[in-house]
Amino acid sequence: MNIAPTSVSGIPFDQARVDRLMEEAGIDVLFATSKHNTQYLLGGYRFIFFAAMDAIGHSRYLPIVLYEKGRPEHAAYIGNRMEGGEHQNHPFWTPTLHAACWGTLDAANLAVEHLQKIGKAASRIGIEPGFLPSDAYTLIRKALPEAKLIDATDMLERMRAIKTEAELEKLRIASELITDSMLATIAWAREGTTKTDIIERLRREETNRGAHFEYCLLTLGSSHNRAASDQAWKNGEVLSIDSGGNFHGYIGDLCRMGVLGEPDAELEELLAEVEAVQQAAFSKVKAGTLGGDMIAHAESVLKASQVASYTDFFAHGMGLITHEAPFLMTNHPVTYEGTYAAKPLEKNMVLSVETTMLHPTRGFIKLEDTVAVTDTGYVMFGDRGRGWNRGGAS
Protein backbone atom coordinates (compact mmCIF):
# COMPACT_ATOMS: atom_id res chain seq x y z
CA MET A 1 0.00 0.00 0.00
CA ASN A 2 1.46 3.34 -1.07
CA ILE A 3 0.77 6.33 1.15
CA ALA A 4 0.79 9.69 -0.60
CA PRO A 5 2.69 12.19 1.58
CA THR A 6 0.58 15.09 2.80
CA SER A 7 2.14 18.54 2.77
CA VAL A 8 3.06 19.93 6.19
CA SER A 9 5.99 22.31 6.42
CA GLY A 10 9.01 21.63 8.54
CA ILE A 11 8.79 17.84 8.88
CA PRO A 12 12.32 17.00 10.10
CA PHE A 13 12.50 13.40 8.91
CA ASP A 14 12.04 11.47 5.66
CA GLN A 15 8.27 11.14 5.74
CA ALA A 16 8.02 8.71 2.84
CA ARG A 17 10.57 6.38 4.46
CA VAL A 18 8.89 6.52 7.88
CA ASP A 19 5.50 5.88 6.29
CA ARG A 20 6.91 2.87 4.43
CA LEU A 21 8.46 1.43 7.59
CA MET A 22 5.19 1.90 9.44
CA GLU A 23 3.27 0.17 6.66
CA GLU A 24 5.69 -2.77 6.71
CA ALA A 25 5.29 -3.04 10.50
CA GLY A 26 1.49 -2.83 10.36
CA ILE A 27 1.36 0.43 12.30
CA ASP A 28 -1.21 3.18 11.72
CA VAL A 29 -0.06 5.63 14.41
CA LEU A 30 3.27 5.98 16.17
CA PHE A 31 3.11 6.55 19.91
CA ALA A 32 6.77 7.41 20.62
CA THR A 33 7.74 7.89 24.27
CA SER A 34 11.53 7.45 24.54
CA LYS A 35 13.74 10.50 24.71
CA HIS A 36 15.78 9.38 21.71
CA ASN A 37 12.85 8.64 19.40
CA THR A 38 10.89 11.74 20.38
CA GLN A 39 14.07 13.72 19.77
CA TYR A 40 14.45 12.15 16.33
CA LEU A 41 10.82 12.77 15.35
CA LEU A 42 11.05 16.38 16.57
CA GLY A 43 14.17 17.08 14.53
CA GLY A 44 16.76 16.99 17.31
CA TYR A 45 14.85 18.67 20.13
CA ARG A 46 15.25 17.47 23.72
CA PHE A 47 13.91 19.48 26.67
CA ILE A 48 16.92 20.62 28.70
CA PHE A 49 15.12 20.50 32.07
CA PHE A 50 14.75 16.72 31.81
CA ALA A 51 17.86 15.99 29.76
CA ALA A 52 19.59 14.28 32.68
CA MET A 53 16.62 13.07 34.72
CA ASP A 54 12.96 12.02 34.44
CA ALA A 55 11.55 11.98 37.96
CA ILE A 56 9.55 14.90 39.31
CA GLY A 57 7.07 14.92 42.20
CA HIS A 58 5.24 11.58 42.37
CA SER A 59 5.73 10.77 38.69
CA ARG A 60 8.08 11.38 35.78
CA TYR A 61 8.46 13.28 32.54
CA LEU A 62 6.85 11.48 29.61
CA PRO A 63 7.27 13.20 26.22
CA ILE A 64 4.97 11.75 23.56
CA VAL A 65 5.07 12.21 19.80
CA LEU A 66 2.00 10.95 17.94
CA TYR A 67 2.40 10.53 14.18
CA GLU A 68 -0.27 9.06 11.92
CA LYS A 69 1.03 7.34 8.81
CA GLY A 70 0.58 9.60 5.79
CA ARG A 71 -1.20 12.30 7.80
CA PRO A 72 1.38 14.65 9.31
CA GLU A 73 -1.38 17.22 9.79
CA HIS A 74 -2.61 14.93 12.58
CA ALA A 75 0.76 14.84 14.37
CA ALA A 76 0.98 15.99 17.97
CA TYR A 77 3.60 16.59 20.62
CA ILE A 78 2.67 16.22 24.28
CA GLY A 79 5.19 17.64 26.71
CA ASN A 80 5.80 19.38 30.00
CA ARG A 81 4.13 22.69 30.84
CA MET A 82 7.45 24.53 30.71
CA GLU A 83 7.91 23.53 27.08
CA GLY A 84 5.48 26.22 26.04
CA GLY A 85 8.39 28.63 26.26
CA GLU A 86 10.45 26.39 24.01
CA HIS A 87 7.64 26.50 21.44
CA GLN A 88 7.48 30.30 21.60
CA ASN A 89 11.17 30.56 20.77
CA HIS A 90 11.48 27.63 18.35
CA PRO A 91 8.06 26.32 17.27
CA PHE A 92 7.59 22.56 17.08
CA TRP A 93 6.65 21.26 13.64
CA THR A 94 3.69 19.22 14.88
CA PRO A 95 0.38 20.99 14.14
CA THR A 96 -0.90 20.06 17.62
CA LEU A 97 1.02 20.83 20.80
CA HIS A 98 -0.01 20.08 24.37
CA ALA A 99 2.61 21.61 26.67
CA ALA A 100 0.54 20.80 29.71
CA CYS A 101 1.87 17.81 31.65
CA TRP A 102 3.67 17.07 34.91
CA GLY A 103 3.49 13.28 34.92
CA THR A 104 2.74 10.10 33.04
CA LEU A 105 -1.03 9.93 33.45
CA ASP A 106 -1.86 13.45 32.32
CA ALA A 107 0.40 12.91 29.28
CA ALA A 108 -1.25 9.57 28.48
CA ASN A 109 -4.72 11.07 28.88
CA LEU A 110 -3.95 13.84 26.40
CA ALA A 111 -2.55 11.27 23.96
CA VAL A 112 -5.73 9.21 24.20
CA GLU A 113 -7.87 12.30 23.65
CA HIS A 114 -5.85 13.20 20.57
CA LEU A 115 -6.18 9.71 19.10
CA GLN A 116 -9.93 9.84 19.66
CA LYS A 117 -10.13 13.28 18.06
CA ILE A 118 -8.37 12.14 14.87
CA GLY A 119 -10.47 8.99 14.67
CA LYS A 120 -7.71 6.50 15.54
CA ALA A 121 -9.03 5.09 18.82
CA ALA A 122 -9.41 1.65 17.23
CA SER A 123 -6.27 1.68 15.11
CA ARG A 124 -2.96 -0.19 15.18
CA ILE A 125 -0.82 1.88 17.54
CA GLY A 126 2.95 1.46 17.63
CA ILE A 127 4.30 1.79 21.18
CA GLU A 128 7.71 1.48 22.84
CA PRO A 129 7.22 -1.16 25.57
CA GLY A 130 10.62 -0.49 27.15
CA PHE A 131 9.87 3.23 27.43
CA LEU A 132 6.17 3.30 28.32
CA PRO A 133 5.52 3.36 32.10
CA SER A 134 3.09 0.73 33.36
CA ASP A 135 0.57 3.26 34.67
CA ALA A 136 0.44 5.01 31.29
CA TYR A 137 0.17 1.68 29.48
CA THR A 138 -2.70 0.56 31.71
CA LEU A 139 -4.55 3.84 31.12
CA ILE A 140 -4.14 3.56 27.35
CA ARG A 141 -5.21 -0.08 27.30
CA LYS A 142 -8.40 0.69 29.25
CA ALA A 143 -9.23 3.89 27.38
CA LEU A 144 -8.70 2.37 23.92
CA PRO A 145 -10.05 -1.18 24.22
CA GLU A 146 -10.44 -1.62 20.47
CA ALA A 147 -6.93 -0.46 19.61
CA LYS A 148 -4.21 -2.97 18.77
CA LEU A 149 -0.97 -2.05 20.55
CA ILE A 150 2.06 -3.11 18.50
CA ASP A 151 5.71 -3.15 19.56
CA ALA A 152 7.28 -0.47 17.35
CA THR A 153 10.82 -0.89 18.69
CA ASP A 154 12.24 -2.56 15.57
CA MET A 155 10.50 -0.13 13.23
CA LEU A 156 11.86 2.86 15.13
CA GLU A 157 15.37 1.39 15.20
CA ARG A 158 15.24 0.92 11.43
CA MET A 159 14.00 4.50 11.11
CA ARG A 160 17.15 5.81 12.80
CA ALA A 161 19.63 3.44 11.11
CA ILE A 162 20.35 5.64 8.08
CA LYS A 163 21.74 8.98 9.20
CA THR A 164 21.11 12.29 7.49
CA GLU A 165 24.02 14.53 6.60
CA ALA A 166 23.13 16.73 9.58
CA GLU A 167 23.22 13.71 11.90
CA LEU A 168 26.57 12.59 10.50
CA GLU A 169 27.98 16.03 11.18
CA LYS A 170 26.84 15.89 14.82
CA LEU A 171 28.37 12.44 15.21
CA ARG A 172 31.60 13.68 13.63
CA ILE A 173 31.78 16.65 15.96
CA ALA A 174 31.00 14.48 18.99
CA SER A 175 33.80 12.08 18.05
CA GLU A 176 36.28 14.90 17.42
CA LEU A 177 35.49 16.56 20.75
CA ILE A 178 35.85 13.30 22.68
CA THR A 179 39.12 12.44 20.94
CA ASP A 180 40.60 15.88 21.58
CA SER A 181 39.51 15.69 25.21
CA MET A 182 41.03 12.25 25.77
CA LEU A 183 44.36 13.20 24.19
CA ALA A 184 44.52 16.39 26.25
CA THR A 185 43.74 14.43 29.41
CA ILE A 186 46.43 11.82 28.73
CA ALA A 187 48.99 14.57 28.11
CA TRP A 188 47.95 16.29 31.37
CA ALA A 189 48.12 13.21 33.62
CA ARG A 190 51.40 12.48 35.40
CA GLU A 191 52.92 9.98 37.77
CA GLY A 192 50.79 9.90 40.90
CA THR A 193 47.63 11.15 39.18
CA THR A 194 44.71 8.98 40.30
CA LYS A 195 41.98 7.44 38.20
CA THR A 196 39.42 9.67 39.89
CA ASP A 197 41.51 12.75 39.04
CA ILE A 198 41.87 11.67 35.41
CA ILE A 199 38.15 11.06 34.98
CA GLU A 200 37.32 14.45 36.49
CA ARG A 201 39.85 16.13 34.19
CA LEU A 202 38.28 14.41 31.18
CA ARG A 203 34.83 15.58 32.23
CA ARG A 204 36.09 19.16 32.31
CA GLU A 205 37.91 18.82 28.99
CA GLU A 206 34.77 17.53 27.27
CA THR A 207 32.51 20.12 28.88
CA ASN A 208 34.85 23.00 27.99
CA ARG A 209 34.82 21.88 24.37
CA GLY A 210 31.02 21.89 24.21
CA ALA A 211 30.36 18.16 24.62
CA HIS A 212 28.11 16.64 27.26
CA PHE A 213 30.16 14.20 29.34
CA GLU A 214 28.46 10.85 29.95
CA TYR A 215 31.07 8.38 31.18
CA CYS A 216 34.72 7.40 31.30
CA LEU A 217 35.95 3.82 31.67
CA LEU A 218 39.58 3.94 32.70
CA THR A 219 42.36 1.47 33.48
CA LEU A 220 45.93 1.93 34.72
CA GLY A 221 48.80 -0.53 34.71
CA SER A 222 48.09 -4.26 34.64
CA SER A 223 44.58 -3.89 36.06
CA HIS A 224 41.49 -4.62 33.99
CA ASN A 225 39.21 -2.73 36.40
CA ARG A 226 37.70 0.29 34.63
CA ALA A 227 35.92 1.90 37.61
CA ALA A 228 37.05 5.12 39.29
CA SER A 229 39.40 4.68 42.24
CA ASP A 230 42.42 6.14 44.04
CA GLN A 231 44.80 3.97 42.00
CA ALA A 232 47.65 6.20 40.78
CA TRP A 233 49.47 6.12 37.45
CA LYS A 234 53.05 4.88 37.66
CA ASN A 235 55.99 5.31 35.33
CA GLY A 236 56.05 2.70 32.54
CA GLU A 237 52.38 1.80 32.97
CA VAL A 238 49.69 1.90 30.29
CA LEU A 239 46.43 3.79 30.47
CA SER A 240 43.27 3.04 28.52
CA ILE A 241 40.67 5.77 28.36
CA ASP A 242 37.24 4.92 26.92
CA SER A 243 34.77 7.76 26.96
CA GLY A 244 31.28 8.51 25.79
CA GLY A 245 29.90 12.00 25.46
CA ASN A 246 27.37 13.61 23.20
CA PHE A 247 26.96 16.65 21.01
CA HIS A 248 23.32 17.74 20.69
CA GLY A 249 22.29 14.23 21.70
CA TYR A 250 24.54 12.33 19.28
CA ILE A 251 27.12 10.01 20.79
CA GLY A 252 30.88 10.10 20.57
CA ASP A 253 32.32 6.82 21.90
CA LEU A 254 36.02 6.07 21.45
CA CYS A 255 38.98 4.51 23.23
CA ARG A 256 42.62 5.60 23.11
CA MET A 257 45.80 4.40 24.82
CA GLY A 258 48.39 6.22 26.87
CA VAL A 259 51.71 5.30 28.45
CA LEU A 260 53.74 7.07 31.12
CA GLY A 261 57.18 7.14 29.58
CA GLU A 262 58.21 5.48 26.33
CA PRO A 263 56.42 2.32 25.14
CA ASP A 264 58.68 -0.72 25.03
CA ALA A 265 58.83 -3.17 22.12
CA GLU A 266 56.23 -5.48 23.64
CA LEU A 267 53.71 -2.66 24.04
CA GLU A 268 54.28 -1.54 20.46
CA GLU A 269 53.69 -5.10 19.28
CA LEU A 270 50.56 -5.60 21.36
CA LEU A 271 48.91 -2.40 20.13
CA ALA A 272 49.86 -3.35 16.58
CA GLU A 273 47.94 -6.62 17.03
CA VAL A 274 44.87 -4.65 18.09
CA GLU A 275 45.31 -2.30 15.15
CA ALA A 276 45.54 -5.20 12.71
CA VAL A 277 42.11 -6.45 13.77
CA GLN A 278 40.66 -2.94 13.51
CA GLN A 279 42.06 -2.52 10.01
CA ALA A 280 40.68 -5.92 8.99
CA ALA A 281 37.21 -4.76 10.01
CA PHE A 282 37.60 -1.41 8.26
CA SER A 283 38.63 -3.15 5.02
CA LYS A 284 35.17 -4.70 4.75
CA VAL A 285 33.15 -1.60 5.60
CA LYS A 286 31.34 -0.52 2.46
CA ALA A 287 27.74 -0.10 1.37
CA GLY A 288 26.53 -3.45 0.08
CA THR A 289 28.81 -5.63 2.22
CA LEU A 290 26.94 -7.98 4.53
CA GLY A 291 27.38 -6.91 8.14
CA GLY A 292 28.22 -10.49 9.11
CA ASP A 293 30.97 -10.66 6.51
CA MET A 294 32.72 -7.68 8.09
CA ILE A 295 32.46 -9.31 11.51
CA ALA A 296 33.68 -12.68 10.23
CA HIS A 297 36.72 -11.20 8.50
CA ALA A 298 37.83 -9.29 11.60
CA GLU A 299 37.30 -12.37 13.76
CA SER A 300 39.33 -14.53 11.37
CA VAL A 301 42.27 -12.13 11.59
CA LEU A 302 41.97 -12.10 15.39
CA LYS A 303 41.76 -15.91 15.56
CA ALA A 304 45.08 -16.20 13.72
CA SER A 305 46.73 -13.71 16.07
CA GLN A 306 49.03 -14.65 18.93
CA VAL A 307 46.86 -12.58 21.28
CA ALA A 308 43.56 -14.27 20.37
CA SER A 309 43.10 -16.06 23.70
CA TYR A 310 42.74 -12.80 25.64
CA THR A 311 41.42 -10.43 22.96
CA ASP A 312 37.87 -9.73 21.78
CA PHE A 313 36.39 -8.02 18.74
CA PHE A 314 33.05 -6.23 18.71
CA ALA A 315 31.15 -3.86 16.41
CA HIS A 316 27.79 -2.15 16.80
CA GLY A 317 25.68 0.64 15.40
CA MET A 318 25.48 4.01 17.12
CA GLY A 319 23.82 7.39 16.84
CA LEU A 320 21.41 8.87 19.37
CA ILE A 321 22.19 5.93 21.65
CA THR A 322 25.34 3.86 22.04
CA HIS A 323 23.92 0.63 20.66
CA GLU A 324 21.41 0.97 17.85
CA ALA A 325 20.87 -0.36 14.34
CA PRO A 326 22.66 -1.94 12.60
CA PHE A 327 22.75 -4.77 15.17
CA LEU A 328 25.63 -6.94 13.97
CA MET A 329 26.38 -9.42 16.77
CA THR A 330 24.12 -11.44 19.07
CA ASN A 331 24.49 -10.96 22.84
CA HIS A 332 28.07 -9.76 22.43
CA PRO A 333 28.15 -8.29 25.02
CA VAL A 334 24.87 -6.32 25.04
CA THR A 335 21.73 -8.46 24.96
CA TYR A 336 20.11 -8.22 21.53
CA GLU A 337 19.92 -10.25 18.35
CA GLY A 338 22.37 -9.60 15.53
CA THR A 339 19.52 -9.03 13.09
CA TYR A 340 21.64 -7.06 10.62
CA ALA A 341 24.39 -9.66 10.22
CA ALA A 342 22.68 -11.07 7.13
CA LYS A 343 21.80 -7.65 5.72
CA PRO A 344 24.01 -5.36 3.64
CA LEU A 345 25.51 -2.29 5.23
CA GLU A 346 23.95 0.88 3.85
CA LYS A 347 25.35 4.30 3.11
CA ASN A 348 25.25 6.62 6.16
CA MET A 349 25.02 3.86 8.73
CA VAL A 350 27.43 4.57 11.59
CA LEU A 351 29.45 1.86 13.33
CA SER A 352 31.57 1.63 16.43
CA VAL A 353 34.43 -0.84 15.87
CA GLU A 354 36.37 -2.01 18.92
CA THR A 355 39.10 -4.52 19.71
CA THR A 356 39.84 -5.18 23.37
CA MET A 357 42.87 -7.00 24.76
CA LEU A 358 42.94 -8.10 28.40
CA HIS A 359 46.65 -8.82 28.61
CA PRO A 360 47.59 -10.88 31.67
CA THR A 361 50.53 -8.65 32.65
CA ARG A 362 50.50 -5.45 30.54
CA GLY A 363 46.88 -4.54 31.19
CA PHE A 364 43.88 -3.37 29.21
CA ILE A 365 44.80 -2.46 25.62
CA LYS A 366 42.00 -1.28 23.36
CA LEU A 367 41.10 0.81 20.33
CA GLU A 368 37.54 1.88 19.60
CA ASP A 369 36.73 3.88 16.49
CA THR A 370 33.67 5.38 14.84
CA VAL A 371 33.12 5.01 11.10
CA ALA A 372 30.36 6.10 8.74
CA VAL A 373 29.58 3.79 5.83
CA THR A 374 29.97 5.24 2.33
CA ASP A 375 29.39 3.88 -1.19
CA THR A 376 33.11 3.22 -1.61
CA GLY A 377 34.19 2.40 1.95
CA TYR A 378 34.02 4.49 5.09
CA VAL A 379 34.84 7.79 6.75
CA MET A 380 36.38 7.69 10.24
CA PHE A 381 35.50 10.26 12.87
CA GLY A 382 38.12 11.32 15.44
CA ASP A 383 40.92 9.63 13.51
CA ARG A 384 43.80 10.71 15.75
CA GLY A 385 45.85 9.41 18.64
CA ARG A 386 45.49 5.77 17.68
CA GLY A 387 49.03 4.88 18.76
CA TRP A 388 50.72 5.23 22.14
CA ASN A 389 50.07 8.70 23.55
CA ARG A 390 52.59 9.95 26.15
CA GLY A 391 51.42 10.99 29.55
CA GLY A 392 52.86 14.10 31.22
CA ALA A 393 53.44 15.78 27.89
CA SER A 394 51.67 19.03 28.66
Side-chain angles (χ1 to χ4, degrees):
M1 178 179 178
N2 293 322
I3 306 296
T6 304
S7 178
V8 170
S9 62
I11 300 174
F13 52 82
D14 185 339
Q15 183 195 338
R17 183 168 179 272
V18 171
D19 288 347
R20 174 177 59 79
L21 291 172
M22 291 176 67
E23 178 69 20
E24 292 173 357
I27 294 171
D28 299 316
V29 183
L30 278 178
F31 195 112
T33 50
S34 65
K35 285 183 181 179
H36 51 281
N37 282 319
T38 55
Q39 177 178 341
Y40 185 90
L41 292 166
L42 292 174
Y45 167 80
R46 182 178 291 190
F47 186 29
I48 189 171
F49 189 81
F50 291 104
M53 61 177 180
D54 293 320
I56 189 164
H58 294 301
S59 189
R60 55 159 285 185
Y61 176 59
L62 184 66
I64 303 174
V65 172
L66 299 172
Y67 172 74
E68 180 183 349
K69 179 180 58 186
R71 301 295 297 273
E73 70 273 19
H74 287 172
Y77 177 52
I78 298 167
N80 180 265
R81 286 187 188 179
M82 292 185 286
E83 290 180 87
E86 302 281 342
H87 181 64
Q88 290 176 4
N89 295 339
H90 304 285
F92 299 109
W93 76 269
T94 57
T96 298
L97 168 67
H98 293 291
C101 304
W102 282 109
T104 57
L105 295 180
D106 48 356
N109 264 316
L110 284 171
V112 166
E113 291 174 6
H114 184 78
L115 290 170
Q116 292 169 333
K117 181 179 179 180
I118 65 175
K120 289 297 175 179
S123 63
R124 300 171 297 177
I125 301 172
I127 64 171
E128 298 187 74
F131 297 91
L132 183 59
S134 62
D135 58 353
Y137 174 86
T138 299
L139 185 154
I140 295 162
R141 185 70 283 172
K142 289 181 178 178
L144 304 174
E146 297 181 20
K148 181 179 181 181
L149 302 186
I150 298 172
D151 186 345
T153 303
D154 180 68
M155 177 257 138
L156 291 164
E157 288 165 347
R158 293 172 63 196
M159 173 186 75
R160 303 195 320 272
I162 311 299
K163 273 56 179 179
T164 64
E165 293 301 319
E167 288 181 290
L168 290 176
E169 180 62 8
K170 289 176 182 177
L171 284 162
R172 184 193 67 79
I173 293 173
S175 299
E176 299 291 338
L177 296 178
I178 301 305
T179 301
D180 286 345
S181 298
M182 291 194 298
L183 297 183
T185 299
I186 294 171
W188 166 84
R190 286 163 168 75
E191 185 167 16
T193 307
T194 68
K195 292 175 71 176
T196 298
D197 292 337
I198 295 170
I199 292 170
E200 173 59 19
R201 178 70 180 208
L202 179 66
R203 184 189 67 78
R204 294 184 182 186
E205 292 283 354
E206 292 183 9
T207 301
N208 290 342
R209 286 175 168 79
H212 179 79
F213 175 82
E214 295 198 356
Y215 63 85
C216 175
L217 304 173
L218 184 75
T219 70
L220 296 177
S222 60
S223 174
H224 300 158
N225 186 318
R226 299 204 286 171
S229 74
D230 291 332
Q231 180 186 357
W233 204 7
K234 298 177 182 178
N235 191 51
E237 288 186 338
V238 305
L239 168 154
S240 74
I241 188 166
D242 186 335
S243 181
N246 76 67
F247 179 75
H248 293 191
Y250 286 82
I251 299 296
D253 181 17
L254 302 101
C255 185
R256 294 293 182 259
M257 296 301 303
V259 62
L260 197 55
E262 291 298 317
D264 56 39
E266 182 183 35
L267 288 180
E268 294 281 15
E269 182 178 354
L270 292 174
L271 190 56
E273 295 279 5
V274 170
E275 172 71 347
V277 179
Q278 291 288 97
Q279 292 297 331
F282 301 151
S283 72
K284 297 297 181 181
V285 176
K286 178 182 177 181
T289 299
L290 294 182
D293 288 348
M294 183 268 284
I295 299 294
H297 182 61
E299 289 182 329
S300 69
V301 171
L302 175 57
K303 185 177 180 179
S305 168
Q306 62 181 354
V307 301
S309 63
Y310 44 81
T311 305
D312 182 64
F313 172 76
F314 181 47
H316 57 88
M318 59 182 293
L320 279 169
I321 61 177
T322 55
H323 286 257
E324 61 178 44
F327 300 102
L328 301 170
M329 304 176 76
T330 298
N331 301 334
H332 189 102
V334 182
T335 305
Y336 50 70
E337 296 295 316
T339 52
Y340 278 75
K343 299 177 182 180
L345 297 174
E346 298 182 57
K347 180 182 177 182
N348 288 10
M349 285 181 168
V350 176
L351 310 176
S352 176
V353 179
E354 48 189 295
T355 302
T356 304
M357 178 189 301
L358 302 182
H359 194 276
T361 60
R362 303 311 300 268
F364 195 102
I365 300 175
K366 175 180 178 178
L367 289 175
E368 181 174 7
D369 299 293
T370 299
V371 297
V373 180
T374 69
D375 287 328
T376 57
Y378 64 92
V379 174
M380 186 181 293
F381 300 152
D383 186 16
R384 295 183 304 287
R386 303 181 70 258
W388 285 109
N389 300 286
R390 277 58 167 180
S394 65

